[in-house]
Coordinates of all heavy atoms in Angstrom, one line a residue:
F60 N 16.2 13.6 19.4 CA 16.5 12.2 19.5 C 18.0 12.0 19.5 O 18.7 12.5 18.6 CB 15.9 11.3 18.4 CG 14.4 11.1 18.5 CD1 13.5 12.0 17.9 CD2 13.9 10.1 19.3 CE1 12.1 11.8 18.0 CE2 12.5 9.9 19.4 CZ 11.6 10.8 18.7
H109 N -11.7 -16.2 -1.6 CA -10.4 -16.8 -2.0 C -9.3 -15.8 -1.6 O -9.5 -14.6 -1.7 CB -10.3 -17.0 -3.5 CG -11.3 -17.9 -4.1 ND1 -11.4 -19.2 -3.8 CD2 -12.4 -17.6 -4.9 CE1 -12.5 -19.7 -4.5 NE2 -13.1 -18.7 -5.1
A110 N -8.1 -16.4 -1.2 CA -6.9 -15.6 -1.0 C -5.8 -16.4 -1.7 O -5.7 -17.6 -1.6 CB -6.6 -15.4 0.5
I136 N -6.7 2.8 -15.2 CA -6.6 4.1 -14.5 C -6.2 3.9 -13.1 O -6.7 3.0 -12.4 CB -8.0 4.7 -14.5 CG1 -8.4 5.0 -16.0 CG2 -8.0 6.0 -13.7 CD1 -9.8 5.6 -16.2
A154 N -0.1 -2.9 -21.3 CA -1.2 -1.9 -21.2 C -0.6 -0.5 -20.8 O 0.5 -0.4 -20.4 CB -2.3 -2.3 -20.3
F158 N -3.4 8.3 -15.5 CA -3.5 8.8 -14.1 C -4.7 9.7 -13.9 O -4.9 10.7 -14.7 CB -2.2 9.5 -13.8 CG -1.0 8.5 -13.8 CD1 -0.2 8.4 -14.9 CD2 -0.7 7.7 -12.7 CE1 0.9 7.5 -15.0 CE2 0.3 6.8 -12.7 CZ 1.1 6.7 -13.9
S172 N -12.6 12.3 -11.3 CA -11.4 12.3 -12.2 C -11.3 11.0 -13.0 O -10.9 10.9 -14.1 CB -10.2 12.7 -11.5 OG -9.1 12.7 -12.3
A183 N -9.7 -1.3 -16.6 CA -9.7 -1.5 -15.1 C -9.3 -0.3 -14.4 O -8.7 0.7 -15.0 CB -8.7 -2.7 -14.7
F189 N -4.8 5.0 -0.1 CA -3.6 5.7 0.3 C -3.5 6.0 1.8 O -4.5 6.5 2.4 CB -3.6 7.0 -0.5 CG -2.3 7.9 -0.3 CD1 -1.1 7.4 -0.6 CD2 -2.5 9.1 0.3 CE1 0.1 8.2 -0.4 CE2 -1.3 9.9 0.5 CZ -0.1 9.4 0.2
I199 N -16.7 4.2 -7.0 CA -15.8 3.6 -7.9 C -16.5 2.3 -8.5 O -16.5 2.1 -9.7 CB -14.5 3.3 -7.3 CG1 -13.7 4.6 -6.9 CG2 -13.6 2.4 -8.3 CD1 -12.5 4.4 -6.1
I202 N -19.0 3.4 -11.1 CA -18.4 3.8 -12.4 C -17.9 2.6 -13.1 O -18.1 2.4 -14.3 CB -17.1 4.7 -12.1 CG1 -17.6 6.1 -11.5 CG2 -16.3 4.9 -13.3 CD1 -16.5 6.9 -10.9
E212 N -8.4 -3.2 -6.1 CA -8.0 -2.3 -5.0 C -6.6 -2.6 -4.6 O -6.3 -3.8 -4.3 CB -9.0 -2.6 -3.8 CG -8.9 -1.5 -2.7 CD -10.2 -1.6 -1.8 OE1 -11.1 -2.4 -2.1 OE2 -10.2 -0.8 -0.8
S217 N -3.8 -0.9 3.6 CA -5.0 -0.8 4.3 C -5.5 -2.2 4.9 O -6.7 -2.3 5.2 CB -6.1 -0.2 3.4 OG -6.3 -1.0 2.3
L293 N 1.2 -18.4 -19.8 CA 2.6 -18.0 -19.4 C 2.6 -17.3 -18.1 O 2.1 -16.2 -18.0 CB 3.2 -17.1 -20.5 CG 4.7 -16.7 -20.2 CD1 5.6 -18.0 -20.2 CD2 5.2 -15.7 -21.3
M316 N -4.5 -6.1 17.4 CA -3.6 -5.3 18.3 C -2.8 -4.3 17.6 O -2.8 -3.1 18.0 CB -2.7 -6.4 19.0 CG -1.6 -5.9 19.9 SD -0.7 -7.3 20.5 CE 0.8 -7.2 19.5
E330 N -4.6 15.2 17.4 CA -4.9 16.1 18.5 C -3.7 17.2 18.6 O -4.0 18.3 18.7 CB -5.0 15.3 19.8 CG -5.8 15.9 20.8 CD -5.9 14.9 22.0 OE1 -6.8 14.0 21.9 OE2 -5.2 15.1 23.0
M335 N -1.8 23.4 15.6 CA -0.8 24.0 14.7 C -1.3 24.3 13.3 O -1.3 23.4 12.5 CB 0.4 23.0 14.6 CG 1.0 22.7 16.0 SD 2.3 21.4 15.9 CE 3.6 22.3 14.9
E337 N 0.1 25.6 10.9 CA 1.1 25.4 9.8 C 1.0 24.0 9.3 O 1.6 23.7 8.2 CB 2.5 25.6 10.4 CG 2.8 27.0 10.8 CD 2.4 27.4 12.2 OE1 1.8 26.4 12.9 OE2 2.5 28.5 12.6
V340 N -3.8 18.2 8.3 CA -3.8 16.7 8.4 C -4.8 16.2 7.4 O -5.8 16.9 6.9 CB -4.1 16.2 9.8 CG1 -3.0 16.7 10.8 CG2 -5.5 16.5 10.3
Q341 N -4.6 14.9 7.0 CA -5.5 14.2 6.0 C -6.9 14.1 6.5 O -7.1 13.7 7.7 CB -4.9 12.8 5.8 CG -5.5 12.0 4.7 CD -4.8 10.6 4.7 OE1 -3.9 10.3 5.4 NE2 -5.2 9.8 3.7
Q357 N 0.8 17.7 6.0 CA 0.9 18.6 4.9 C 1.3 20.0 5.4 O 0.6 20.5 6.3 CB -0.4 18.7 4.2 CG -0.4 19.5 2.9 CD -1.8 19.7 2.3 OE1 -1.9 20.6 1.4 NE2 -2.8 19.0 2.7
R367 N 9.4 22.7 1.8 CA 9.3 21.4 2.4 C 10.7 20.8 2.7 O 10.9 20.2 3.7 CB 8.5 20.5 1.5 CG 8.2 19.1 2.1 CD 9.1 18.0 1.4 NE 9.2 18.1 0.0 CZ 8.3 17.4 -0.8 NH1 7.4 16.6 -0.3 NH2 8.5 17.5 -2.1
A373 N 15.6 19.5 8.5 CA 15.7 19.8 9.9 C 15.1 18.7 10.8 O 15.7 18.4 11.9 CB 14.9 21.2 10.2
K396 N 9.8 9.3 -20.5 CA 10.2 8.8 -21.8 C 9.0 8.1 -22.5 O 9.0 8.1 -23.8 CB 11.3 7.7 -21.6 CG 12.7 8.3 -21.7 CD 13.8 7.2 -21.8 CE 14.1 6.8 -20.3 NZ 15.1 5.7 -20.2
M401 N 4.3 16.5 -17.1 CA 3.9 17.2 -15.8 C 2.7 18.0 -16.1 O 2.4 18.4 -17.2 CB 5.1 18.1 -15.3 CG 6.3 17.3 -14.9 SD 6.0 15.9 -13.8 CE 5.6 16.8 -12.3
Y442 N 10.8 28.2 11.7 CA 10.5 28.6 10.3 C 9.1 29.4 10.2 O 8.7 29.7 9.1 CB 10.5 27.4 9.3 CG 11.9 26.9 9.1 CD1 12.3 25.7 9.6 CD2 12.8 27.6 8.3 CE1 13.6 25.1 9.4 CE2 14.1 27.1 8.1 CZ 14.4 25.9 8.6 OH 15.7 25.4 8.4

Side-chain angles (χ1 to χ4, degrees):
F60 287 92
H109 304 290
I136 297 178
F158 296 96
S172 181
F189 182 62
I199 295 172
I202 293 167
E212 194 163 356
S217 58
L293 185 62
M316 176 179 101
E330 206 173 281
M335 299 175 66
E337 295 83 2
V340 301
Q341 187 181 0
Q357 183 188 166
R367 183 257 312 269
K396 266 189 276 176
M401 295 310 290
Y442 289 108

